[in-house]
Amino acid sequence: MTARRATQQRLDPLGTLAAWPLAPGLAAVVLCYSVIATVLQSDQVQNPLLATLAVLAMAAAAGTLVIATQPAHSPFGRQAHIVMVTLAVLGYLFEALSRWGSNELVQDDFGPISIGLLLLALAPYRPWREIALSGAIASVIAIAITLPQAGTFRIDVPVAVYAIVSVVQILAPAAAGAAYSRRVVTSILAWQTDARRAIVARTEEARGQLARAVVEQQVTALKSGVIPFLTDVLERGTVTALDIAQAGQLAAEVRRTLVAEIDRTWLDSVVTRERAALAERGTPGLLVVADPEHRATVFGAEQRAATAALIGALCAAPGFDPHSLVVQITGSPQPRTPGARSRPAPSADVPTSARVAPAQRSNSSAPGHLAAPAPSPGGRPAPAPSAHLPTSARVAPPQRSNSSAPGHLADAHAPALGQTPLAILTGPPAPAQFDTITLQAALDVPPRKVRALLRPYLGVIRVVFGNVRVTVRRPSLTIEFDAVRENTSSAAAPTALATPATPIGVRANKAPRQVR
C-alpha cells in the first residue's frame, strides 16, 4: 500500500477498533444538534418539508458513518465516504432552502458544523488528502449557499465575514481530521520501516546461530538410527543383505523427514502450536490443514498474524470441538463472491508474458496447441510448429502457468529444430489470482455469542483480506475470505530460448495433511 492511499485502519486495524466508539458519538452529536437547531429555529423555517428533508439527510449521513465504520463492514471505502459527504451537503442545502429569505444568523445553521464533524470522524478511516479535499469542496458549496443570503442576515457585516464564518465551521474540523490522519499514518509507516530494518539486522546476526541449530538438530536425528547403523557396519567390515534392507528403510525415513520439513509452512506451525495448547488443557484433538500447493507461503505478515489470531481464538473459544477444525486454502482466478470485481483469468497454458508470434493461440484446451500461422508473403503457408517437442527445446527457465494443475508448465519452440523462429514478446501482467481460505469448526454456543466472540478478529480479517463470508449454523461455523495474489512470474522480462535443459517433471497433488 502506498503512503498516498494509506489509512490508520489499514495500517493499524486493532488501534482503529479501539477508536471506533468515537464515530457513533460524533454521529449522535450531529443528529441531535440538527434536530435541536431545527426545533429552536422553527420561526425561521419557511418550508417545513425541506426542513424535514434536511434533518433526514443529515441523519442518513450520520447513519452511513456509523454503519460503514463498524468492524463488520471494514474497511471504510471511498464509496461510503462519497455517500456520507453527499448526504451531509444535501442536508445543508435543504436547510438553507427551508429558511431562504428568513435566515437571521450564519453561525447557528447546523449544516456546516455537521459536515465538519462528520469529516473529523473519518480521520482513522480515510486518507488525509481525501478528507482535506472533501472539506474544500464542501466549503466552496457553503460559500455559494451563504453569499446569496447576505441581505437577510440580522448582523450587518462585510459579505466576506459571512463566508468566513460558514467556511470555518467546515474547514477547522476537516483540517484537524486530515492532520490527524496524516500524522498517524506517517508515524506508523516510519515505525514499520524501522521495525523491518531491525528484523533484517537481527536476522543477519542470528543466521549463523540458526544454521548451527539446524545442523545440530539434524545430527541428533541421525544419531538415533543412521549413525549407529553405519558404526556397526564399519566395525564388522562386511555388508549383508539385512544391512542393505535396513539401509533402505533408514534412507526412506530420512527422506520422509526432510520432505516433511520442506513442506512445512507457517500455517502448519500455527496448527501445531494450537494442538499443543489443546493437549495442555487436557483436550487433545485432530486439526486438519489442507494446503497442497503451499499457497500460505505467499501470505504477508499482516495476513499471517490475522489468520493465526483467528485460529487461536477458535481453538480457545468455549464449546469448541477439538476434532472439528479444518483449515483449507484453494486457488482460483476469480473471487467466489459473485459481485466482487476481478479481471479475467489468463490463459491456462501460456503466460501472458510469453506471447507467441506469428502463430496465434487457438481455442483448444490442449497444452501447446497452436493455430496455423499466417501465410508468408510468398503465399505459401509457414510450417506449423510441432505440437510435441523434446524437452531439450524448452524455454529456460520454465515458467509456471496459471493452470490449476500443479507443475503445468508452458512450452516454447526453439528455432534449432528447423521451425520458423518464434518471437517471445513481453505482454501485460497476468491477472491477480485469488486464494480462498476456509476455516470450518464446531462451536456449541448460540450464534449471537459466536459473532460477538469473533467480531474483533473479523474486523481485522476484513481489513487485510477481502470478501469475508461467515456462516453460523449451530454448532457449525464456516469462515471464508479471499487473498489477492499478484502473478509476478508472468511480468518478467522476455525469456531467451535455451540450450538443452533438464526434463520437466510434474508434481502430483498431495493429500491434506493431518496434524494429530
Side-chain angles (χ1 to χ4, degrees):
M1 182 185 302
T2 61
R4 182 182 297 270
R5 298 181 57 187
T7 63
Q8 180 185 358
Q9 185 181 40
R10 294 185 179 274
L11 297 176
D12 184 18
L14 291 178
T16 307
L17 286 176
W20 176 77
L22 295 177
L26 289 176
V29 170
V30 168
L31 180 58
C32 293
Y33 181 65
S34 61
V35 173
I36 293 174
T38 303
V39 173
L40 294 180
Q41 302 169 23
S42 59
D43 56 334
Q44 302 178 25
V45 175
Q46 301 295 320
N47 192 324
L49 177 60
L50 291 178
T52 304
L53 291 178
V55 175
L56 292 178
M58 203 61 69
T64 302
L65 172 66
V66 174
I67 295 175
T69 56
Q70 285 183 347
H73 300 93
S74 58
F76 192 101
R78 181 177 298 176
Q79 183 178 0
H81 181 174
I82 295 175
V83 170
M84 188 200 74
V85 174
T86 301
L87 289 173
V89 171
L90 284 177
Y92 179 32
L93 178 61
F94 288 148
E95 179 198 15
L97 293 177
S98 67
R99 305 179 187 182
W100 199 268
S102 61
N103 194 5
E104 297 180 356
L105 297 174
V106 180
Q107 58 268 28
D108 62 353
D109 293 346
F110 67 81
I113 189 61
S114 297
I115 295 175
L117 292 177
L118 291 175
L119 292 177
L120 176 62
L122 295 182
Y125 306 100
R126 300 303 304 160
W128 70 271
R129 288 182 175 85
E130 294 187 7
I131 297 175
L133 179 61
S134 300
I137 295 174
S139 299
V140 172
I141 296 175
I143 293 175
I145 293 175
T146 302
L147 293 183
Q149 303 180 71
T152 63
F153 295 138
R154 186 175 60 189
I155 301 176
D156 188 12
V157 294
V159 178
V161 175
Y162 300 132
I164 293 174
V165 171
S166 62
V167 165
V168 166
Q169 299 181 72
I170 298 176
L171 285 183
Y180 172 85
S181 176
R182 183 176 183 273
R183 180 61 180 172
V184 169
V185 168
T186 303
S187 301
I188 295 177
L189 291 177
W191 176 83
Q192 289 180 346
T193 302
D194 295 340
R196 292 191 186 98
R197 291 175 180 172
I199 291 174
V200 171
R202 177 162 297 185
T203 301
E204 293 297 332
E205 295 175 358
R207 189 180 301 275
Q209 299 177 359
L210 292 175
R212 288 192 297 270
V214 170
V215 171
E216 292 176 359
Q217 181 181 4
Q218 294 176 347
V219 171
T220 302
L222 293 176
K223 286 182 178 179
S224 61
V226 176
I227 294 180
F229 168 74
L230 295 177
T231 302
D232 180 64
V233 172
L234 289 175
E235 291 177 352
R236 288 188 285 107
T238 58
V239 178
T240 64
L242 183 60
D243 294 335
I244 296 176
Q246 186 177 359
Q249 294 178 357
L250 292 175
E253 292 178 0
V254 171
R255 182 181 181 278
R256 282 196 298 269
T257 303
L258 294 177
V259 170
E261 290 296 330
I262 293 175
D263 289 344
R264 187 180 182 86
T265 64
W266 64 269
L267 188 57
D268 295 312
S269 301
V270 170
V271 171
T272 301
R273 182 189 64 196
E274 297 303 328
R275 189 260 312 164
L278 289 173
E280 291 179 358
R281 295 195 294 265
T283 56
L286 176 66
L287 309 180
V288 180
V289 176
D291 184 18
E293 299 179 3
H294 298 167
R295 294 179 177 270
T297 57
V298 300
F299 284 19
E302 296 84 358
Q303 294 174 329
R304 296 184 182 190
T307 305
L310 180 59
I311 293 175
L314 290 176
C315 294
F320 170 71
D321 183 0
H323 296 81
S324 64
L325 181 63
V326 177
V327 183
Q328 182 180 11
I329 303 180
T330 58
S332 64
Q334 301 288 341
R336 293 194 176 185
T337 300
R341 295 178 297 176
S342 63
R343 290 174 287 177
S347 171
D349 299 309
V350 180
T352 53
S353 62
R355 306 287 181 174
V356 181
Q360 301 296 326
R361 185 81 186 167
S362 74
N363 295 327
S364 173
S365 60
H369 184 79
L370 299 174
S376 62
R380 293 179 300 172
S386 174
H388 303 284
L389 295 180
T391 55
S392 60
R394 303 289 186 181
V395 175
Q399 300 294 328
R400 184 176 292 276
S401 74
N402 293 326
S403 174
S404 59
H408 186 79
L409 303 176
D411 298 338
H413 309 279
L417 298 177
Q419 305 295 340
T420 302
L422 304 178
I424 306 300
L425 306 179
T426 301
Q433 300 294 303
F434 290 87
D435 294 334
T436 300
I437 302 92
T438 304
L439 277 71
Q440 296 178 340
L443 294 178
D444 193 14
V445 292
R448 179 178 56 84
K449 291 185 178 181
V450 173
R451 296 185 182 276
L453 173 68
L454 299 179
R455 184 175 294 113
Y457 301 95
L458 293 179
V460 178
I461 289 290
R462 286 187 171 91
V463 174
V464 297
F465 291 100
N467 303 327
V468 181
R469 303 169 293 280
V470 181
T471 304
V472 182
R473 294 185 179 89
R474 186 176 182 178
S476 175
L477 169 65
T478 303
I479 304 175
E480 295 179 294
F481 42 91
D482 298 331
V484 179
R485 176 170 51 87
E486 295 293 339
N487 190 351
T488 56
S489 62
S490 60
T495 306
L497 293 176
T499 54
T502 56
I504 301 173
V506 178
R507 186 181 68 178
N509 284 333
K510 297 181 180 180
R513 302 186 299 281
Q514 294 185 353
V515 181
R516 296 188 179 273

